[in-house]
Amino acid sequence: MAIYTFAALYIGSYEVGMKIFELSAKKKLRVIDYVRKRIEIGRDTFSKGNIGYEMVEALCDTLEQYVQIMKEYKVEAYEAYAATALRDSGNELFILDQIKIRTGLTVQVLSNSEHRFINYQSLAAREEFEDMVKKGAAVIDVGGGGLQITVFKEGNIVKTEHLALGAMRLREQLEKQSVGLEQYELQIEETVNKELEVFSAMYMQGVDISYLIFIGDYITEIMSRAEKNHSDKTVKAEKFVRYLERLRQKNIEQICAELGLSNDNDPLVVPYMIVFGCMAKKLGAEELWVPGVSISDGIACGYALKHNIYRIPHDFEQDILSAARSLAGRYLSYSPHIEALCAMSTLIFDTMKKMHGLSKRERLLIQVAAILHDCGKYISFANAPQCSYDIIMGSEILGLTHHEREIVANTVLYNTYTLPDYHEATQQMDHESYLTVAKLSAILRVSNAMDRSHKQKFKNVKAAVRGKELVITIETEDDIALEKTLFHAKTAYFEKVFSIKPVVKRKRIYKV
């Protein structure tokens, strides 16, 4: 049995951490060391917009020490990530350059959706997770810069949304404006509750939540005090809220002492407590589950899955498709047409495998594009393609990277509009992305023309490549004059991209 030594490094808003793991098919993740250093780079980002040189110096010094620890453990591979505090700073590129020069480490800066998906992977690996989301659950992932709420109904993602309610961000915005701890706590509570009220009104109608699943710092310590018998890591929501209310009667030093924190005057514990409490009260769950996962666990889990070290049964692609369908439904896209277009696009994609040279991942992206291609009509029929693009880029789909979302949005945009020449599109897309968008949009155009009437006239559709033709065979007893006219109008672009001509052959069905 192969065992891999792996290091997961994460630069957070107020802490730089590294976990050393042993990865294997049998034991999956085994932590062999965990080192952490408090460096509040978010304090500079959220108050000044740039990270100061003292913070950069401390960050590089710490990472140099971590590199030495990795050598001592003979780490075979590592991944290093940063999120909000570095991503939102004005000197991000210069800091990454300094880290590379001084430590040799390559740090990837995550978009919010990428960050949350990493945490989600380690959560989905837990056996309890599947049962909870089938009963209705919301995952609350709280960090220093923001929090993510992902809502599940009957096992499917119905909404994921980022709120700028991170503990450090709240502290930097409100602490200096408050007179005393009581007013500070009240301002945090009002800010969080206001956002939650809007979120609930927009997204929680008709959704019953049985479980809140918390991810974040301090929650494990709070959980262990709120529920003494917590072998299954769950607690009744009412009991959890009562404990937090008692805890808030104490000062910061007393709170830190009760929770057993190493820092006896940790200023972040208060905003975390208030955020957790507001979520527990406002979202109406019966129970809370604290699985104890961190982003370091998610980084290691993602690496193991990517390199086939072990597998988990959860279907992440289905999550993506479920989230896309939920988004399309919110904008009243016509569901039968969406499903017909999704099936047709997938059929052509699979038939053209040797011609397009794309991977299984792009197969998923064209399905998402098919599902979301019409969502902009909710805003404007006349400008639907651009509106669809804006909706996709303005929405998060858990499991898709920011780059993948751009490919989907551009595929939808150029399903209707003319794709500009590459030299005109270089500010939007690199060479590889341009080719991918061209191929996916060509397939989507032809597929969309096949159901332009939105009446799903074709049955038993089959496709095959014969010489220089993509032959699509259909069965129908309906008039397809509209589809034939629009199909021919779309073939020129398809031929330009693939050097192959799509043709439709009709197999007439006679009524008996």
Side-chain angles (χ1 to χ4, degrees), residues 5-18:
T5 307
F6 175 80
L9 295 90
Y10 179 67
I11 302 169
S13 299
Y14 52 86
E15 185 177 270
V16 181
M18 179 177 69

Side-chain angles (χ1 to χ4, degrees), residues 13 15-16 25 30 37 54 63 76 131 136 184-185 207 222 237 256 261 272 281 302 346 371 378 409 420 427:
S13 299
E15 185 177 270
V16 181
R30 189 174 83 85
K37 180 72 177 289
E54 291 134 329
L63 292 175
E76 298 167 78
D131 288 337
Y184 172 52
E185 291 181 355
V207 180
I222 295 171
C256 292
L261 304 181
Y272 266 104
K281 285 188 282 188
T346 307
I371 292 168
Y378 182 86
Q427 291 186 339

Side-chain angles (χ1 to χ4, degrees), residues 15 23-24 55 137 151 163 169 211 222 241 243 258 270 307 364 370 375 381 398 402 414 424-426 473:
E15 185 177 270
L23 308 179
S24 67
M55 291 286 187
V151 182
L163 306 179
R169 192 186 294 272
Y211 293 95
I222 295 171
V241 170
Y243 175 72
E258 178 161 338
V270 170
H307 291 84
L364 174 66
C375 61
F381 270 72
L398 194 66
H402 181 80
Y414 297 117
E424 297 174 4
T426 51
T473 306

Side-chain angles (χ1 to χ4, degrees), residues 203-464:
Y203 303 119
M204 298 299 291
Q205 303 303 312
V207 180
D208 295 323
I209 297 297
S210 296
Y211 293 95
L212 282 187
I213 303 172
F214 277 129
I215 302 173
D217 287 340
Y218 309 98
I219 187 61
T220 302
E221 290 84 357
I222 295 171
M223 167 72 174
S224 65
R225 272 70 176 182
E227 178 58 85
K228 302 298 183 184
N229 181 23
H230 62 286
S231 57
D232 61 354
K233 300 182 180 180
T234 62
V235 61
K236 294 291 184 183
E238 291 182 3
K239 189 173 185 179
F240 180 82
V241 170
R242 286 198 303 270
Y243 175 72
L244 283 181
E245 288 174 350
R246 290 199 304 271
L247 199 59
R248 284 181 59 183
Q249 303 305 310
K250 303 182 178 184
N251 60 38
I252 292 179
E253 290 81 2
Q254 292 170 329
I255 292 170
C256 292
E258 178 161 338
L259 296 180
L261 304 181
S262 56
N263 182 352
D264 60 5
N265 189 21
D266 191 335
L268 289 177
V269 68
V270 170
Y272 266 104
M273 284 169 44
I274 295 172
V275 170
F276 292 141
C278 290
M279 295 289 166
K281 285 188 282 188
K282 291 289 184 180
L283 294 181
E286 299 170 10
E287 288 191 82
L288 312 181
W289 180 43
V290 180
V293 298
S294 69
I295 188 165
S296 298
D297 302 314
I299 293 169
C301 180
Y303 179 86
L305 295 175
K306 187 165 53 181
H307 291 84
N308 296 314
I309 297 171
Y310 63 75
R311 300 188 179 207
I312 61 175
H314 189 79
D315 189 343
F316 293 108
E317 287 194 1
Q318 189 55 47
D319 285 337
I320 293 168
L321 295 174
S322 171
R325 288 190 176 97
S326 178
L327 182 60
R330 179 158 190 80
Y331 291 97
L332 305 183
S333 294
Y334 183 53
S335 184
H337 172 62
I338 282 174
E339 295 307 321
L341 179 56
C342 193
M344 181 67 72
S345 299
T346 307
L347 173 65
I348 295 176
F349 184 96
D350 291 344
T351 305
M352 297 281 294
K353 188 181 296 183
K354 291 182 179 179
M355 275 70 181
H356 57 58
L358 299 174
S359 71
K360 184 181 177 183
R361 190 66 178 180
E362 282 75 40
R363 185 181 190 270
L364 174 66
L365 297 186
I366 198 168
Q367 289 176 288
V368 175
I371 292 168
L372 295 175
H373 80 289
D374 259 355
C375 61
K377 288 181 179 177
Y378 182 86
I379 298 171
S380 168
F381 270 72
N383 198 27
Q386 184 63 52
C387 292
S388 296
Y389 176 94
D390 292 337
I391 287 170
I392 294 166
M393 291 308 299
S395 304
E396 289 196 347
I397 300 174
L398 194 66
L400 291 188
T401 66
H402 181 80
H403 176 64
E404 288 173 330
R405 203 160 75 244
E406 284 182 324
I407 289 175
V408 170
N410 279 304
T411 298
V412 168
L413 184 66
Y414 297 117
N415 167 55
T416 302
Y417 292 164
T418 300
L419 180 68
D421 292 337
Y422 174 63
H423 67 86
E424 297 174 4
T426 51
Q427 291 186 339
Q428 288 179 276
M429 294 175 272
D430 60 25
H431 181 259
E432 185 176 349
S433 299
Y434 180 84
L435 288 175
T436 300
V437 168
K439 293 172 184 178
L440 296 185
S441 60
I443 293 172
L444 190 62
R445 283 190 193 194
V446 168
S447 303
N448 202 11
M450 299 285 287
D451 189 37
R452 196 64 187 89
S453 66
H454 290 207
K455 293 182 178 179
Q456 298 79 58
K457 297 176 182 178
F458 302 151
K459 312 298 180 188
N460 299 323
V461 181
K462 297 178 182 178

